[in-house]
Protein backbone atom coordinates (compact mmCIF):
# COMPACT_ATOMS: atom_id res chain seq x y z
CA UNK A 1 0.00 0.00 0.00
CA UNK A 2 2.76 2.42 -0.94
CA UNK A 3 1.88 6.03 -1.50
CA UNK A 4 2.99 9.62 -0.97
CA UNK A 5 0.89 12.66 -0.06
CA UNK A 6 3.73 15.15 -0.23
CA UNK A 7 7.47 15.23 -0.78
CA UNK A 8 7.91 17.48 2.24
CA UNK A 9 10.13 16.17 4.99
CA UNK A 10 8.44 14.23 7.77
CA UNK A 11 8.63 15.03 11.48
CA UNK A 12 8.87 11.38 12.48
CA UNK A 13 9.07 7.93 10.88
CA UNK A 14 7.34 4.97 12.54
CA UNK A 15 8.83 1.59 11.60
CA UNK A 16 6.99 -1.44 12.99
CA UNK A 17 7.61 -5.15 12.59
CA UNK A 18 4.10 -5.39 11.11
CA UNK A 19 1.72 -2.66 9.96
CA UNK A 20 -2.01 -3.39 10.19
CA UNK A 21 -3.61 -0.41 8.41
CA UNK A 22 -7.23 -1.76 8.38
CA UNK A 23 -7.89 0.14 5.14
CA UNK A 24 -7.72 0.19 2.18
CA UNK A 25 -6.79 -3.44 2.90
CA UNK A 26 -7.23 -5.09 6.27
CA UNK A 27 -4.08 -7.18 6.04
CA UNK A 28 -0.75 -7.07 7.87
CA UNK A 29 2.23 -5.64 5.97
CA UNK A 30 5.91 -6.32 6.60
CA UNK A 31 8.81 -3.93 5.99
CA UNK A 32 6.56 -0.87 6.10
CA UNK A 33 7.27 2.63 7.34
CA UNK A 34 4.81 5.42 8.12
CA UNK A 35 5.95 9.02 7.66
CA UNK A 36 4.15 11.70 9.68
CA UNK A 37 4.27 15.46 9.35
CA UNK A 38 2.27 17.96 11.41
CA UNK A 39 0.03 15.18 12.65
CA UNK A 40 -0.86 13.79 9.23
CA UNK A 41 0.29 10.59 7.51
CA UNK A 42 2.18 11.75 4.42
CA UNK A 43 3.80 8.54 3.19
CA UNK A 44 3.54 4.77 3.62
CA UNK A 45 5.90 2.42 1.91
CA UNK A 46 8.90 0.09 2.14
CA UNK A 47 11.38 1.23 4.76
CA UNK A 48 14.26 1.81 2.39
CA UNK A 49 12.16 4.04 0.14
CA UNK A 50 10.68 6.10 2.97
CA UNK A 51 14.07 6.44 4.67
CA UNK A 52 15.53 7.73 1.41
CA UNK A 53 12.76 10.30 1.05
CA UNK A 54 13.23 11.56 4.63
CA UNK A 55 16.95 11.42 5.51
CA UNK A 56 17.94 12.25 9.05
CA UNK A 57 14.36 12.26 10.37
CA UNK A 58 13.73 10.89 13.86
CA UNK A 59 12.59 7.28 13.82
CA UNK A 60 10.44 5.37 16.27
CA UNK A 61 11.79 1.86 15.87
CA UNK A 62 9.22 -0.78 16.79
CA UNK A 63 10.90 -3.95 15.62
CA UNK A 64 8.80 -6.35 17.70
CA UNK A 65 5.46 -4.59 17.41
CA UNK A 66 2.29 -4.44 15.39
CA UNK A 67 1.29 -0.87 14.60
CA UNK A 68 -2.40 -0.30 13.87
CA UNK A 69 -4.95 2.52 14.08
CA UNK A 70 -5.85 3.71 17.55
CA UNK A 71 -9.11 2.20 18.77
CA UNK A 72 -12.31 4.24 18.80
CA UNK A 73 -14.47 3.93 21.90
CA UNK A 74 -17.74 5.09 20.36
CA UNK A 75 -19.76 5.37 23.57
CA UNK A 76 -18.88 6.02 27.16
CA UNK A 77 -19.39 8.15 30.24
CA UNK A 78 -15.77 8.87 31.02
CA UNK A 79 -16.00 10.46 34.45
CA UNK A 80 -17.96 7.44 35.69
CA UNK A 81 -14.57 5.76 35.97
CA UNK A 82 -14.71 7.11 39.54
CA UNK A 83 -17.82 4.95 40.15
CA UNK A 84 -16.12 1.76 39.03
CA UNK A 85 -17.31 -1.25 41.05
CA UNK A 86 -20.26 0.46 42.75
CA UNK A 87 -23.72 -1.10 42.47
CA UNK A 88 -22.38 -4.51 41.52
CA UNK A 89 -24.90 -7.17 40.47
CA UNK A 90 -27.86 -4.81 40.17
CA UNK A 91 -30.11 -4.80 37.08
CA UNK A 92 -30.15 -1.64 34.97
CA UNK A 93 -33.16 0.12 36.51
CA UNK A 94 -32.15 -0.61 40.11
CA UNK A 95 -28.51 0.19 39.35
CA UNK A 96 -29.48 3.63 38.04
CA UNK A 97 -32.11 4.47 40.65
CA UNK A 98 -30.46 2.99 43.76
CA UNK A 99 -26.77 3.58 43.11
CA UNK A 100 -25.74 5.79 40.19
CA UNK A 101 -28.25 8.63 40.28
CA UNK A 102 -28.05 9.11 44.08
CA UNK A 103 -24.24 9.18 43.94
CA UNK A 104 -24.28 11.64 41.06
CA UNK A 105 -26.79 13.81 42.89
CA UNK A 106 -24.55 13.88 45.94
CA UNK A 107 -21.14 14.27 44.31
CA UNK A 108 -21.44 15.64 40.77
CA UNK A 109 -19.14 18.63 40.24
CA UNK A 110 -16.57 20.12 37.90
CA UNK A 111 -13.83 18.41 39.90
CA UNK A 112 -15.58 15.03 39.68
CA UNK A 113 -15.80 15.27 35.89
CA UNK A 114 -12.25 16.55 35.44
CA UNK A 115 -10.69 13.93 37.69
CA UNK A 116 -12.80 11.06 36.34
CA UNK A 117 -12.16 12.03 32.73
CA UNK A 118 -8.40 12.18 33.22
CA UNK A 119 -8.47 8.76 34.88
CA UNK A 120 -10.44 7.38 31.93
CA UNK A 121 -8.06 8.89 29.38
CA UNK A 122 -5.06 7.37 31.17
CA UNK A 123 -6.70 3.94 31.15
CA UNK A 124 -7.73 4.16 27.51
CA UNK A 125 -4.35 5.30 26.21
CA UNK A 126 -2.60 2.47 28.05
CA UNK A 127 -4.92 -0.07 26.41
CA UNK A 128 -4.90 1.31 22.89
CA UNK A 129 -7.84 3.72 22.61
CA UNK A 130 -7.04 7.12 21.09
CA UNK A 131 -10.57 8.44 20.47
CA UNK A 132 -13.66 8.27 22.65
CA UNK A 133 -17.20 9.58 22.74
CA UNK A 134 -18.32 10.93 26.09
CA UNK A 135 -21.90 11.60 27.18
CA UNK A 136 -21.88 13.18 30.61
CA UNK A 137 -22.39 16.29 32.69
CA UNK A 138 -20.02 19.26 32.32
CA UNK A 139 -18.92 18.25 28.79
CA UNK A 140 -16.84 21.42 28.53
CA UNK A 141 -14.72 20.19 31.45
CA UNK A 142 -14.25 16.77 29.86
CA UNK A 143 -13.37 18.40 26.54
CA UNK A 144 -10.74 20.61 28.15
CA UNK A 145 -9.26 17.66 30.03
CA UNK A 146 -9.01 15.64 26.82
CA UNK A 147 -7.60 18.51 24.84
CA UNK A 148 -4.93 19.10 27.50
CA UNK A 149 -3.98 15.42 27.29
CA UNK A 150 -3.92 15.49 23.48
CA UNK A 151 -6.71 12.91 23.36
CA UNK A 152 -9.40 12.92 20.65
CA UNK A 153 -12.99 13.28 21.90
CA UNK A 154 -16.55 13.48 20.71
CA UNK A 155 -18.40 15.38 23.44
CA UNK A 156 -22.06 14.36 23.38
CA UNK A 157 -23.59 17.14 25.44
CA UNK A 158 -26.43 15.90 27.64
CA UNK A 159 -30.08 16.71 27.04
CA UNK A 160 -32.15 15.52 29.99
CA UNK A 161 -35.36 16.72 31.61
CA UNK A 162 -34.51 16.05 35.26
CA UNK A 163 -33.03 19.01 37.19
CA UNK A 164 -29.42 18.40 38.16
CA UNK A 165 -26.32 20.26 39.23
CA UNK A 166 -25.33 20.83 35.59
CA UNK A 167 -28.64 22.21 34.32
CA UNK A 168 -32.02 23.01 35.82
CA UNK A 169 -33.94 21.69 32.80
CA UNK A 170 -33.63 20.61 29.17
CA UNK A 171 -33.72 24.22 28.00
CA UNK A 172 -30.52 25.00 29.86
CA UNK A 173 -28.98 21.80 28.45
CA UNK A 174 -29.66 23.09 24.93
CA UNK A 175 -28.15 26.49 25.71
CA UNK A 176 -25.01 25.05 27.25
CA UNK A 177 -24.66 22.41 24.54
CA UNK A 178 -24.84 24.90 21.70
CA UNK A 179 -22.32 27.11 23.48
CA UNK A 180 -20.03 24.09 23.73
CA UNK A 181 -20.44 23.43 20.02
CA UNK A 182 -19.55 27.02 19.15
CA UNK A 183 -16.54 26.93 21.47
CA UNK A 184 -15.01 23.81 19.91
CA UNK A 185 -16.32 24.21 16.37
CA UNK A 186 -12.85 24.38 14.82
CA UNK A 187 -10.87 22.37 17.38
CA UNK A 188 -8.66 19.69 15.78
CA UNK A 189 -9.29 17.16 18.57
CA UNK A 190 -12.76 17.94 19.93
CA UNK A 191 -16.04 17.41 18.10
CA UNK A 192 -19.50 17.78 19.57
CA UNK A 193 -22.92 16.21 19.17
CA UNK A 194 -26.31 16.25 20.86
CA UNK A 195 -26.64 13.67 23.63
CA UNK A 196 -30.29 13.24 24.59
CA UNK A 197 -30.08 10.59 27.30
CA UNK A 198 -32.92 8.42 25.98
CA UNK A 199 -36.37 8.71 24.48
CA UNK A 200 -37.86 7.77 27.86
CA UNK A 201 -36.10 10.63 29.71
CA UNK A 202 -36.57 13.37 27.08
CA UNK A 203 -39.97 14.68 26.01
CA UNK A 204 -41.21 14.39 22.45
CA UNK A 205 -41.11 18.18 22.11
CA UNK A 206 -37.46 18.27 23.09
CA UNK A 207 -36.62 15.33 20.82
CA UNK A 208 -38.18 17.31 17.96
CA UNK A 209 -36.05 20.28 18.98
CA UNK A 210 -32.93 18.09 18.93
CA UNK A 211 -33.81 16.93 15.41
CA UNK A 212 -34.34 20.50 14.20
CA UNK A 213 -31.19 21.93 15.75
CA UNK A 214 -28.97 18.98 14.80
CA UNK A 215 -29.99 19.49 11.18
CA UNK A 216 -29.53 23.25 11.47
CA UNK A 217 -26.01 23.14 12.90
CA UNK A 218 -25.10 19.92 11.05
CA UNK A 219 -23.94 17.74 13.92
CA UNK A 220 -24.77 14.21 15.02
CA UNK A 221 -27.00 12.90 17.79
CA UNK A 222 -26.06 10.08 20.16
CA UNK A 223 -28.65 8.43 22.40
CA UNK A 224 -29.32 5.25 24.35
CA UNK A 225 -31.93 3.31 22.39
CA UNK A 226 -33.70 -0.02 22.91
CA UNK A 227 -31.23 -0.97 25.62
CA UNK A 228 -33.55 -3.56 27.15
CA UNK A 229 -36.80 -5.36 26.37
CA UNK A 230 -38.30 -3.68 29.44
CA UNK A 231 -37.52 -0.29 27.91
CA UNK A 232 -39.41 -1.23 24.74
CA UNK A 233 -42.34 -2.52 26.81
CA UNK A 234 -42.38 0.84 28.63
CA UNK A 235 -42.57 2.62 25.27
CA UNK A 236 -45.58 0.58 24.21
CA UNK A 237 -47.36 1.38 27.48
CA UNK A 238 -46.43 5.05 27.50
CA UNK A 239 -46.67 6.11 23.85
CA UNK A 240 -48.30 3.16 22.13
CA UNK A 241 -45.30 2.34 19.93
CA UNK A 242 -41.55 1.68 20.21
CA UNK A 243 -38.93 4.34 20.85
CA UNK A 244 -37.46 3.62 17.40
CA UNK A 245 -40.80 4.44 15.78
CA UNK A 246 -41.13 7.55 17.96
CA UNK A 247 -37.67 8.79 16.93
CA UNK A 248 -38.51 8.07 13.32
CA UNK A 249 -41.65 10.12 13.70
CA UNK A 250 -39.83 13.17 15.09
CA UNK A 251 -37.15 13.12 12.38
CA UNK A 252 -34.27 11.76 14.44
CA UNK A 253 -34.00 8.28 12.96
CA UNK A 254 -31.53 9.03 10.16
CA UNK A 255 -27.87 8.96 9.19
CA UNK A 256 -27.02 11.54 11.88
CA UNK A 257 -28.15 9.26 14.69
CA UNK A 258 -25.71 7.20 16.75
CA UNK A 259 -27.94 4.59 18.41
CA UNK A 260 -26.31 3.02 21.46
CA UNK A 261 -27.11 -0.53 22.66
CA UNK A 262 -29.96 -1.63 20.34
CA UNK A 263 -30.40 -5.01 22.01
CA UNK A 264 -34.19 -5.31 21.68
CA UNK A 265 -34.93 -4.97 17.97
CA UNK A 266 -37.13 -6.80 15.49
CA UNK A 267 -36.16 -7.84 11.98
CA UNK A 268 -38.26 -4.97 10.65
CA UNK A 269 -36.34 -2.55 12.86
CA UNK A 270 -32.99 -3.96 11.70
CA UNK A 271 -34.14 -3.26 8.14
CA UNK A 272 -35.33 0.24 9.07
CA UNK A 273 -31.96 1.04 10.67
CA UNK A 274 -30.23 0.13 7.41
CA UNK A 275 -32.77 2.02 5.31
CA UNK A 276 -32.40 5.20 7.36
CA UNK A 277 -28.61 4.98 7.63
CA UNK A 278 -28.62 4.99 11.43
CA UNK A 279 -25.28 4.08 13.01
CA UNK A 280 -25.26 1.46 15.79
CA UNK A 281 -22.88 1.32 18.75
CA UNK A 282 -22.47 -2.03 20.47
CA UNK A 283 -21.50 -2.19 24.17
CA UNK A 284 -21.37 -5.93 24.88
CA UNK A 285 -19.69 -5.93 28.29
CA UNK A 286 -22.08 -3.42 29.85
CA UNK A 287 -25.11 -5.10 28.27
CA UNK A 288 -24.09 -8.51 29.60
CA UNK A 289 -23.14 -7.20 33.05
CA UNK A 290 -26.53 -5.53 33.45
CA UNK A 291 -28.33 -8.44 31.74
CA UNK A 292 -29.73 -5.94 29.22
CA UNK A 293 -29.70 -8.17 26.15
CA UNK A 294 -27.57 -8.67 23.05
CA UNK A 295 -27.16 -6.35 20.08
CA UNK A 296 -27.52 -8.45 16.88
CA UNK A 297 -24.31 -7.17 15.30
CA UNK A 298 -24.09 -9.81 12.53
CA UNK A 299 -27.64 -8.96 11.41
CA UNK A 300 -26.91 -5.25 11.39
CA UNK A 301 -23.66 -5.82 9.48
CA UNK A 302 -25.38 -8.08 6.96
CA UNK A 303 -27.94 -5.31 6.37
CA UNK A 304 -25.12 -2.86 5.61
CA UNK A 305 -25.36 -0.84 8.82
CA UNK A 306 -22.33 0.90 10.26
CA UNK A 307 -21.48 -0.61 13.67
CA UNK A 308 -18.93 0.65 16.19
CA UNK A 309 -17.89 -0.56 19.62
CA UNK A 310 -18.19 1.18 22.97
CA UNK A 311 -17.30 0.32 26.52
CA UNK A 312 -20.11 2.37 28.09
CA UNK A 313 -19.06 3.80 31.45
CA UNK A 314 -16.66 2.02 33.75
CA UNK A 315 -19.44 1.92 36.34
CA UNK A 316 -21.30 -0.65 34.22
CA UNK A 317 -18.21 -2.25 32.74
CA UNK A 318 -15.42 -1.93 35.33
CA UNK A 319 -12.95 -1.26 32.54
CA UNK A 320 -12.36 0.81 29.42
CA UNK A 321 -10.19 -1.68 27.49
CA UNK A 322 -11.72 -1.70 24.01
CA UNK A 323 -9.60 -4.72 23.00
CA UNK A 324 -11.41 -6.65 25.74
CA UNK A 325 -14.69 -5.29 24.36
CA UNK A 326 -13.72 -6.46 20.88
CA UNK A 327 -12.98 -9.96 22.11
CA UNK A 328 -16.29 -10.12 23.95
CA UNK A 329 -18.14 -8.87 20.87
CA UNK A 330 -16.60 -11.65 18.79
CA UNK A 331 -17.37 -14.38 21.29
CA UNK A 332 -20.89 -13.14 21.93
CA UNK A 333 -21.72 -13.06 18.23
CA UNK A 334 -20.47 -16.61 17.73
CA UNK A 335 -22.32 -17.90 20.76
CA UNK A 336 -25.60 -16.17 19.90
CA UNK A 337 -25.49 -17.42 16.31
CA UNK A 338 -24.23 -20.88 17.31
CA UNK A 339 -21.81 -20.33 14.44
CA UNK A 340 -18.03 -20.16 14.87
CA UNK A 341 -17.71 -18.25 11.58
CA UNK A 342 -19.82 -15.32 12.83
CA UNK A 343 -17.96 -12.00 13.20
CA UNK A 344 -14.43 -13.14 12.33
CA UNK A 345 -11.44 -11.45 13.94
CA UNK A 346 -10.60 -9.24 10.95
CA UNK A 347 -14.13 -7.83 11.02
CA UNK A 348 -13.86 -7.21 14.77
CA UNK A 349 -10.62 -5.27 14.29
CA UNK A 350 -12.45 -3.08 11.81
CA UNK A 351 -15.37 -2.62 14.23
CA UNK A 352 -12.99 -1.35 16.91
CA UNK A 353 -11.21 1.11 14.61
CA UNK A 354 -12.73 2.23 11.32
CA UNK A 355 -16.21 1.07 12.35
CA UNK A 356 -16.11 3.33 15.38
CA UNK A 357 -14.75 6.21 13.30
CA UNK A 358 -17.61 5.77 10.83
CA UNK A 359 -20.12 5.61 13.67
CA UNK A 360 -18.85 8.98 14.93
CA UNK A 361 -18.56 10.50 11.46
CA UNK A 362 -14.77 10.76 11.77
CA UNK A 363 -13.74 8.17 9.18
CA UNK A 364 -12.32 10.78 6.80
CA UNK A 365 -9.81 11.68 9.51
CA UNK A 366 -9.12 8.58 11.59
CA UNK A 367 -9.84 4.85 11.93
CA UNK A 368 -7.23 3.54 9.51
CA UNK A 369 -3.59 4.17 8.64
CA UNK A 370 -3.93 5.81 5.24
CA UNK A 371 -2.18 8.68 3.53
CA UNK A 372 -3.88 11.97 4.33
CA UNK A 373 -5.46 10.80 7.57
CA UNK A 374 -4.41 11.94 11.01
CA UNK A 375 -1.69 9.88 12.66
CA UNK A 376 -3.71 8.22 15.43
CA UNK A 377 -1.80 4.97 15.90
CA UNK A 378 -0.92 2.43 18.57
CA UNK A 379 1.84 -0.15 18.92
CA UNK A 380 1.37 -3.62 20.41
CA UNK A 381 4.36 -5.61 21.64
CA UNK A 382 4.11 -9.05 20.03
CA UNK A 383 7.28 -10.36 21.68
CA UNK A 384 5.29 -11.87 24.51
CA UNK A 385 4.32 -15.50 25.16
CA UNK A 386 0.62 -14.69 24.78
CA UNK A 387 1.24 -13.26 21.30
CA UNK A 388 3.50 -16.01 19.96
CA UNK A 389 3.65 -17.76 17.59
CA UNK A 390 1.94 -15.14 15.49
CA UNK A 391 0.07 -17.17 12.89
CA UNK A 392 -2.89 -14.81 12.53
CA UNK A 393 -2.41 -11.14 13.45
CA UNK A 394 -6.13 -10.34 13.63
CA UNK A 395 -6.85 -13.33 15.86
CA UNK A 396 -4.07 -12.43 18.30
CA UNK A 397 -5.05 -8.79 18.41
CA UNK A 398 -8.67 -9.71 19.21
CA UNK A 399 -8.17 -12.78 21.40
CA UNK A 400 -4.65 -12.34 22.81
CA UNK A 401 -5.19 -9.66 25.50
CA UNK A 402 -3.63 -7.04 23.24
CA UNK A 403 -4.79 -4.19 25.46
CA UNK A 404 -2.24 -5.29 28.05
CA UNK A 405 0.52 -5.29 25.39
CA UNK A 406 0.08 -1.70 24.14
CA UNK A 407 3.35 0.19 24.44
CA UNK A 408 2.80 3.35 22.36
CA UNK A 409 -0.17 5.60 21.57
CA UNK A 410 -0.05 8.48 19.11
CA UNK A 411 -2.82 11.03 18.56
CA UNK A 412 -2.44 13.54 15.75
CA UNK A 413 1.16 12.37 15.45
CA UNK A 414 1.95 13.22 19.08
CA UNK A 415 3.29 10.40 21.24
CA UNK A 416 1.08 10.46 24.34
CA UNK A 417 1.95 7.12 25.90
CA UNK A 418 5.24 5.21 25.70
CA UNK A 419 6.27 2.08 27.60
CA UNK A 420 4.18 2.91 30.66
CA UNK A 421 5.04 6.61 30.68
CA UNK A 422 2.49 9.36 30.00
CA UNK A 423 3.81 12.41 28.17
CA UNK A 424 0.76 14.66 28.62
CA UNK A 425 -0.75 13.43 31.89
CA UNK A 426 0.64 13.62 35.43
CA UNK A 427 -0.28 10.04 36.24
CA UNK A 428 0.69 10.35 39.90
CA UNK A 429 -1.76 13.22 40.29
CA UNK A 430 -4.45 11.34 38.32
CA UNK A 431 -4.17 8.33 40.63
CA UNK A 432 -4.01 10.44 43.77
CA UNK A 433 -7.24 12.22 42.78
CA UNK A 434 -8.90 8.87 42.08
CA UNK A 435 -7.89 7.61 45.52
CA UNK A 436 -9.33 10.70 47.17
CA UNK A 437 -12.66 10.17 45.40
CA UNK A 438 -12.77 6.61 46.66
CA UNK A 439 -12.85 7.89 50.21
CA UNK A 440 -15.63 10.37 49.45
CA UNK A 441 -17.80 7.97 47.47
CA UNK A 442 -17.41 5.10 49.93
CA UNK A 443 -18.55 7.37 52.73
Amino acid sequence: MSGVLSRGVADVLVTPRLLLPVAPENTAIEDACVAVREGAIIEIGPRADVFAHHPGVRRVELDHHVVMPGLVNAHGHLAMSLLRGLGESEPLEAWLENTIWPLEHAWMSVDFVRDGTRLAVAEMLASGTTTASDMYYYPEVAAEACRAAGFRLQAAFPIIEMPNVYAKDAGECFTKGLELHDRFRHDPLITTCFGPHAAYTVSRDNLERVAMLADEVDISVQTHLHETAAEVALANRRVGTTWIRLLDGVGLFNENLQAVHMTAVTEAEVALVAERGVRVIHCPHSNMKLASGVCPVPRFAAAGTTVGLGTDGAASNNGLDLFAEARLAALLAKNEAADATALPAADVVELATLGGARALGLDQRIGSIEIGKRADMIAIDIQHPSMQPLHDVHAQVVHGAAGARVTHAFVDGQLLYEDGAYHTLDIDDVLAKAASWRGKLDS
Side-chain angles (χ1 to χ4, degrees), residues 240-279:
T241 187
T242 67
W243 298 124
I244 283 177
R245 295 295 176 179
L246 184 143
L247 292 188
D248 197 34
V250 301
L252 270 175
F253 210 66
N254 55 40
E255 66 279 357
N256 286 329
L257 183 65
Q258 302 166 12
V260 182
H261 298 305
M262 297 291 279
T263 69
V265 290
T266 65
E267 289 298 332
E269 287 165 341
V270 170
L272 184 65
V273 166
E275 180 184 335
R276 296 287 194 265
V278 172
R279 293 163 274 168

Side-chain angles (χ1 to χ4, degrees), residues 22-23 26 68-75 129 131 279-284 295-302 304-311 322-323 325-333 342-360 367-368 394 397-398:
V22 176
N26 192 0
M68 62 180 287
L71 307 190
V72 178
N73 185 351
H75 175 70
T129 292
T131 297
R279 293 163 274 168
V280 171
I281 298 168
H282 178 34
C283 303
C295 177
V297 172
R299 283 193 281 147
F300 280 123
T305 295
T306 291
V307 181
L309 286 178
T311 59
L322 202 71
F323 276 115
E325 209 73 31
R327 184 184 190 191
L328 193 56
L331 298 176
L332 188 58
L343 208 58
D347 291 357
V348 178
V349 169
E350 184 172 338
L351 279 183
T353 54
L354 190 54
R358 289 175 178 141
L360 302 186
S368 58
H394 296 98
V397 164
V398 172

Side-chain angles (χ1 to χ4, degrees), residues 118 121-129 149 377-379 404-411 414-428 430-431:
R118 294 175 74 225
V121 168
E123 180 182 357
M124 288 188 289
L125 285 173
S127 55
T129 292
M377 305 181 293
I378 60 172
R405 314 292 170 230
V406 172
T407 58
H408 295 66
F410 300 81
V411 176
Q414 183 181 9
L415 185 56
L416 306 185
Y417 177 79
E418 181 180 15
D419 290 323
Y422 293 88
H423 296 312
T424 56
L425 283 169
D426 181 345
I427 192 60
D428 291 334
V430 169
L431 295 175

Side-chain angles (χ1 to χ4, degrees), residues 144-287:
E144 288 291 359
C146 289
R147 177 203 261 168
F151 187 84
R152 196 177 301 280
L153 183 77
Q154 174 185 266
F157 50 84
I159 306 293
I160 193 166
E161 307 278 336
M162 295 181 295
N164 56 74
V165 68
Y166 168 70
K168 65 180 182 295
D169 55 23
E172 189 174 0
C173 287
F174 279 106
T175 299
K176 288 187 171 183
L178 292 172
E179 289 174 353
L180 179 84
H181 173 66
D182 286 341
R183 178 176 170 184
F184 290 98
R185 183 190 300 268
H186 302 297
D187 194 280
L189 293 178
I190 309 298
T191 56
T192 59
C193 75
F194 284 91
H197 172 262
Y200 61 86
T201 55
V202 180
S203 69
R204 183 186 179 103
D205 287 348
N206 280 320
L207 290 172
E208 289 176 343
R209 188 179 180 191
V210 169
M212 177 189 70
L213 289 172
D215 183 64
E216 186 177 300
V217 299
D218 191 27
I219 60 175
S220 295
V221 178
Q222 183 173 112
T223 192
H224 304 94
L225 187 61
H226 283 221
E227 186 170 358
T228 66
E231 177 194 323
V232 178
L234 173 67
N236 281 299
R237 292 195 305 272
R238 186 188 291 181
V239 298
T241 187
T242 67
W243 298 124
I244 283 177
R245 295 295 176 179
L246 184 143
L247 292 188
D248 197 34
V250 301
L252 270 175
F253 210 66
N254 55 40
E255 66 279 357
N256 286 329
L257 183 65
Q258 302 166 12
V260 182
H261 298 305
M262 297 291 279
T263 69
V265 290
T266 65
E267 289 298 332
E269 287 165 341
V270 170
L272 184 65
V273 166
E275 180 184 335
R276 296 287 194 265
V278 172
R279 293 163 274 168
V280 171
I281 298 168
H282 178 34
C283 303
H285 193 136
S286 175
N287 291 155

Side-chain angles (χ1 to χ4, degrees), residues 56-67:
V57 171
R58 179 174 68 91
R59 301 176 189 174
V60 179
E61 302 279 359
L62 298 165
D63 291 336
H64 48 93
H65 296 74
V66 171
V67 166

